[in-house]
Amino acid sequence: MGKIKNKLKSIGKRVIIDFYRFLDNSGVLKIYEKILEEAIDKDNLPKHVAIIMDGNRRAAEIYGKDRYYGHYLGAEKVREVLRWARDLGINVVTLYAFSTENFRRPKEEVDKLMELFEKKFYEIADDEEIHRYEVRVRAIGRINLLPKNVQKAIKYAEERTKNYNKFFVNIAIAYGGQQEIIDAVKKIAEKVKRGEIEPEDIDKELIDKHLYTANLPFPNPDLIIRTSGEERISNFLIWQSSYSELYFCDIYWPLFRRVDFLRAVRDYQRRQRRFGK
Ligand code: IPE
Ligand code: IPE
Ligand code: MG
């Protein structure tokens, strides 16, 4: 019985995918994109958009493929989304690619993801558009927990783009928000121990300065998008998101479309941000 139910579920999802594809081909989405673009106020864009790219494995399931295919499609999506953000005029994008908790996944899956990350960092570093638009690429997280070959690829991408400052792309990898705060607290405690600062000097600004996001022009995301229908933060930028607008959408990350992105921005603009005022 369970098997039949699952089969029906998967057929149902396939129908949705086919419908999306039909929409794509029919040009309806292009018209919708235009409408959304018109509706977006270019003077009131979120300066920093962060995305929790979730749903790779569930997307693969729809296609009847293994989880690695889902991760592959998810990684392919990144280039497109960066282009949409850049074209709109959003200067800082942070993408959640791999959490500290994701190390708990089966070794084979983690290994495959690491292979993918290595390849993608080299690809990004050599991407013609990254250089044409002067995009600074950085990885944030406990980079030392990653395999050496991935660390090397990250270094390569960071080195090649270190003089750019028009756009900023941060890849959160081996990243955990709680771990980031722990790391900041340790650095601050060391300074106290060395007598460089007093405990009384510890304030919000000092903590900000010790986070991985310290050197960004806009460290706190104005808008956080999470795909796949899950509505939680999953240890992402927990300090920096204290006043972020949150946008959740049901679509799985590999299927994320430009209309979904534009809708998130339009939705953001419809909200009234208060910051406690
Ligand atoms: C997000 O997709 C990618 C990573 C966390 C590495 P998932 O792999 O979490 O896919 P789902 O959410 O299980 O579908
Ligand atoms: C969050 O997704 C991490 C990334 C997207 C990299 P997860 O799939 O790991 O999060 P949970 O387990 O659903 O909270
Ligand atoms: Mg997930």
Side-chain angles (χ1 to χ4, degrees):
M1 203 50 208
K3 258 191 184 161
I4 296 173
K5 221 168 154 186
N6 276 345
K7 188 98 203 146
L8 282 176
K9 230 167 138 186
S10 128
I11 291 170
K13 282 177 182 166
R14 272 228 73 111
V15 170
I16 294 171
I17 298 289
D18 287 344
F19 182 61
Y20 277 170
R21 202 165 289 143
F22 160 75
L23 278 182
D24 257 341
N25 296 336
S26 69
V28 171
L29 280 184
K30 277 272 159 270
I31 297 168
Y32 188 30
E33 267 181 29
K34 277 268 160 300
I35 293 170
L36 287 167
E37 264 176 74
E38 293 288 315
I40 287 171
D41 173 4
K42 299 286 185 305
D43 298 322
N44 180 29
L45 289 168
K47 293 182 173 68
H48 179 171
V49 174
I51 309 182
I52 304 176
M53 311 183 288
D54 195 21
N56 288 354
R57 296 180 295 189
R58 280 168 283 170
E61 213 179 289
I62 294 175
Y63 292 112
K65 296 270 177 76
D66 64 26
R67 53 184 63 187
Y68 313 119
Y69 183 67
H71 292 316
Y72 163 79
L73 290 181
E76 290 294 299
K77 181 59 66 176
V78 166
R79 195 166 189 257
E80 253 179 282
V81 177
L82 291 180
R83 192 178 298 142
W84 301 337
R86 195 190 61 223
D87 286 350
L88 207 57
I90 293 166
N91 296 78
V92 185
V93 176
T94 301
L95 301 174
Y96 201 8
F98 191 85
S99 69
T100 39
E101 288 71 27
N102 290 147
F103 280 113
R104 295 190 199 134
R105 292 193 181 187
K107 185 179 180 309
E108 210 191 343
E109 182 177 354
V110 174
D111 288 349
K112 279 273 190 346
L113 278 166
M114 292 302 148
E115 258 176 50
L116 201 56
F117 292 140
E118 183 193 16
K119 195 168 139 251
K120 283 288 153 190
F121 272 105
Y122 282 119
E123 245 176 63
I124 289 181
D126 293 332
D127 189 328
E128 180 268 322
E129 280 185 25
I130 291 284
H131 298 283
R132 184 164 14 126
Y133 294 98
E134 304 190 8
V135 183
R136 177 140 188 206
V137 180
R138 269 189 289 205
I140 57 169
R142 286 195 172 160
I143 307 306
N144 61 319
L145 297 180
L146 295 165
K148 286 277 171 306
N149 60 323
V150 179
Q151 292 189 35
K152 205 171 146 200
I154 288 172
K155 240 192 208 126
Y156 178 74
E158 289 185 339
E159 269 299 309
R160 282 213 64 183
T161 62
K162 70 171 186 233
N163 295 322
Y164 297 153
N165 60 10
K166 287 220 171 95
F167 293 91
F168 294 82
V169 173
N170 309 297
I171 312 289
I173 177 170
Y175 175 88
Q178 291 169 333
Q179 289 75 5
E180 179 179 29
I181 294 171
I182 295 168
D183 290 348
V185 169
K186 278 186 184 159
K187 281 188 230 155
I188 294 170
E190 283 296 330
K191 288 187 182 170
V192 173
K193 202 166 127 191
R194 289 197 298 266
E196 291 167 24
I197 52 172
E198 295 299 322
E200 297 72 52
D201 299 332
I202 301 173
D203 57 8
K204 188 183 158 301
E205 281 68 35
L206 190 83
I207 297 196
D208 280 339
K209 268 190 211 141
H210 288 83
L211 296 174
Y212 308 143
T213 45
N215 297 317
L216 286 174
F218 308 103
N220 302 334
D222 302 292
L223 169 65
I224 298 182
I225 301 171
R226 180 168 188 154
T227 59
S228 94
E230 306 302 336
E231 301 192 355
R232 55 178 170 265
I233 283 291
S234 299
N235 207 8
F236 186 46
L237 299 175
I238 54 173
W239 174 278
Q240 297 89 333
S241 65
S242 46
Y243 275 100
S244 303
E245 294 295 330
L246 307 178
Y247 182 88
F248 300 103
C249 55
D250 285 335
I251 198 150
Y252 299 143
W253 172 251
L255 301 164
F256 192 65
R257 304 157 303 177
R258 187 155 176 262
V259 288
D260 300 308
F261 181 71
L262 295 173
R263 276 174 81 173
V265 174
R266 185 198 52 178
D267 205 85
Y268 163 87
Q269 292 188 334
R270 283 180 176 169
R271 299 185 197 178
Q272 194 176 6
R273 303 190 74 193
R274 290 182 188 271
F275 302 100
K277 282 184 261 178

